[in-house]
Amino acid sequence: MSHTFHIPVLGLGFTIDTPLKVARYGISSVVSIVDDILIERMRRFHTEQEGEVFTPITPTEPDSRAKRITAYLNLLNRQVNQQFDDLKQQAFVEGTDITRYFDLLPDSSTLKIRYQQMLAETDSVLRGELERKLREDMVKGEIDVNIMSKVDKMNYAANGEPLSDENTDALAGLRGFAHSDLSSSVVMSAGMNPRLYSYLESFEDFYPDSSGKLNKKIILKVSDFRSAFIQAKFLAKKGLWVSEFRIESGLNCGGHAFATEGYLLGPILEEFKTKRQEMIADIFAIYQSALQAKGKGINEAPKMRITVQGGIGTAEENSFLLNYYQLDATGWGSPFLLVPEATNVDEETLENLTHSDSSDFYISGASPLGIPFNNYRKSTAEKQRIERIEKGRPGSPCKKKFLVSNTEFTEEAICTASREYQNLKLKQLDTLNLPQDEYKSRFDAITEKLCLCEGLCASAYIKNDILNRKESRAVAICPGPNVAYFSRVFSLDEMVKHIYGKLNLLQGVSRPSIFVNELKLYVEYLKKDILQHIKTLDAKKLKQLEKFKEQLLLGIEYYKKLIGHINNQTEQYLNRLLEELLEIEAQIKQVLIHAIVPA
């Protein structure tokens, strides 16, 4: 890898073509393959941009979803390879992409060190040889893909008969990636789906070749050590290797939020650090045995990377995480929403984001999946949702049906963000004769759901001027709360230099530590959980809340001790960190005492 950071998946459309913007500079990024309709539209756009003839893959074509994904990923691969080949032919002079490639690299990179040696070389013959070797050793960024394991609806034939399991959304998506020309990774997120994980066995590219190389790799996005180990062992028993655990903060991230039971990022990373080698040995023993049973031999464990993402904001935090926890890389997501060179954010949303504060970003119940979702109050999709409620027509038209899951009122599943569902649910609510405050609470919970299928694509359509005439311009966006501290639009060079400590984009900004920011989110989450259950609190829920409290307090104790190991921050910063930890510690105890034990 050229860089020590990657750009994670951002919504559906925000990073849908990010590899075309950054891969030639050695920067890896992740593309969502949930929405094959968006994918087909973007394939058409980029095919025609290159002056090529576009051949559509219609929805009625057999296995159209997988074929669309394969075709789009092949297009990305082909165009990135062409960009990279062109870049490598350029002269090492100011203003060229090849010079930019090396300028963006971290100073610790051996390639960067060799580049600087080449620039200092005065002998033209030696310099030419150094240039040749540099071009040979340059590496482009990975084009990885993301599959949300639980977004896996059943699909039906034209006659209404359900199609086989291999045609569910997630499995068809995986097949689309597996059949592509890419040599990269699939990022599995949103928990374990045994049917999907088992389907990985069907594709030879996920097994090592005769030299031990994996043509396609598996990355698991995880939020704790235990679940990571369980998932990796499940896959190892099938002869499948997890090449990377991508640890993400449970709450201090963008998109869907998967809260842990109070386990905080620092202690989670510590557990991965201390148990890493033991875990690799245990998983490899299972993996090697499974491969032998399949007639495949391997003597050495393949590389297993550990990375982290979610809420990293400064170069000091970035380097501390990498060094102290012995990580291979970090993920920087939401700040790249403010980098138009890298992501698809329309002008109105971009302008709103630059004039936001922390109160504009919140964990909501907006997702039809029923999973907490990082929402943005100023989004045009939120404005549209409120306007529809005010007009007495809550909910959205449901065209794409990727998130249909509810069969409360209908035989075939419908989406809880749809006008159909909300109309039926509100009619039911009207019959319950509830007190006004309870009625409002339930009304708000029903109508809070957002159409993410349309909203998370709209920005890509608007920015690339491919929005159809009758399509909604309402943009849903799901940044992590960390983006609140970044208050303008940045160039790619500026953001990369910020990550590596060559430039400080947060100069003069008062921002708590990544650990404190996450801790505050967990306290808010706990308060909300208590309020939701205070009237129906039973022994089981009380025990769960007490465990949550205990884990938060253990996490704070861990951070107090960690302060002595943070050697790249000022004394003032460390003193503030301790003060904030003590303040939150007292707050947690007080919240629980007052909320659970009646006065």
Side-chain angles (χ1 to χ4, degrees), residues 239-495:
L240 299 164
W241 185 255
V242 174
S243 294
E244 180 180 331
F245 288 109
R246 194 159 280 187
I247 304 161
E248 184 171 72
S249 167
L251 294 180
N252 195 14
C253 59
H256 286 92
F258 297 88
T260 65
E261 288 295 312
Y263 297 101
L264 299 173
L265 188 61
I268 290 166
L269 291 172
E270 187 71 44
E271 189 170 10
F272 272 93
K273 176 184 172 180
T274 56
K275 296 180 179 177
R276 182 175 188 168
Q277 295 311 318
E278 181 187 345
M279 174 181 67
I280 291 172
D282 287 352
I283 293 170
F284 179 63
I286 299 167
Y287 175 68
Q288 190 177 37
S289 176
L291 282 182
Q292 284 170 352
K294 292 175 183 285
K296 300 173 187 291
I298 190 166
N299 297 318
E300 270 184 43
K303 185 170 173 58
M304 183 181 282
R305 286 161 49 90
I306 310 282
T307 65
V308 68
Q309 61 194 41
I312 308 167
T314 67
E316 290 77 16
E317 286 177 351
N318 193 69
S319 62
F320 176 76
L321 290 168
L322 285 170
N323 297 325
Y324 184 77
Y325 294 109
Q326 296 162 22
L327 301 172
D328 295 285
T330 56
W332 284 67
S334 296
F336 274 97
L337 291 169
L338 297 172
V339 181
E341 285 175 83
T343 54
N344 290 312
V345 182
D346 62 287
E347 286 294 334
E348 184 178 357
T349 303
L350 196 60
E351 178 69 14
N352 286 337
L353 284 173
T354 62
H355 294 94
S356 298
D357 59 40
S358 56
S359 67
D360 294 315
F361 305 92
Y362 67 107
I363 294 171
S364 72
S367 171
L369 293 175
I371 300 166
F373 183 75
N374 281 282
N375 208 356
Y376 177 51
R377 293 186 203 282
K378 291 182 177 179
S379 76
T380 47
E382 261 299 292
K383 290 174 188 172
Q384 183 190 67
R385 182 186 71 84
I386 292 164
E387 284 169 4
R388 284 172 170 169
I389 293 169
E390 288 170 349
K391 290 175 182 175
R393 286 179 59 77
S396 306
C398 188
K399 298 173 184 175
K400 292 183 173 179
K401 304 185 187 301
F402 289 119
L403 303 182
V404 296
S405 62
N406 188 282
T407 54
E408 187 179 352
F409 302 106
T410 54
E411 265 190 54
E412 195 172 315
I414 58 176
C415 179
T416 56
S418 70
R419 186 164 292 152
E420 180 183 8
Y421 172 81
Q422 293 191 12
N423 183 44
L424 291 166
K425 193 68 178 171
L426 291 172
K427 281 181 179 176
Q428 181 192 66
L429 182 65
D430 288 339
T431 67
L432 300 179
N433 298 315
L434 296 172
Q436 190 174 351
D437 59 339
E438 191 173 342
Y439 177 90
K440 185 180 185 307
S441 175
R442 292 207 195 180
F443 180 94
D444 290 346
I446 294 164
T447 59
E448 187 180 12
K449 305 299 179 193
L450 267 180
C451 175
L452 301 183
C453 295
E454 298 285 350
L456 291 175
C457 296
S459 191
Y461 295 157
I462 294 167
K463 182 170 178 180
N464 293 297
D465 197 24
I466 56 173
L467 194 75
N468 291 333
R469 190 168 56 86
K470 291 185 178 180
E471 276 183 316
S472 170
R473 296 184 65 86
V475 172
I477 193 166
C478 46
N482 190 42
V483 78
Y485 301 101
F486 295 84
S487 57
R488 67 174 174 86
V489 173
F490 304 103
S491 69
L492 178 64
D493 299 64
E494 284 177 316
M495 189 57 70

Side-chain angles (χ1 to χ4, degrees), residues 46-81:
H46 286 294
T47 300
E48 292 177 348
Q49 285 286 104
E50 291 297 306
E52 299 171 2
V53 176
F54 173 73
T55 306
I57 299 168
T58 64
T60 55
E61 203 170 309
D63 206 21
S64 63
R65 175 173 169 79
K67 287 177 180 174
R68 284 175 163 189
I69 290 166
T70 300
Y72 182 62
L73 296 178
N74 286 348
L75 176 140
L76 291 182
N77 192 41
R78 187 171 65 253
Q79 292 194 359
V80 165
N81 285 339

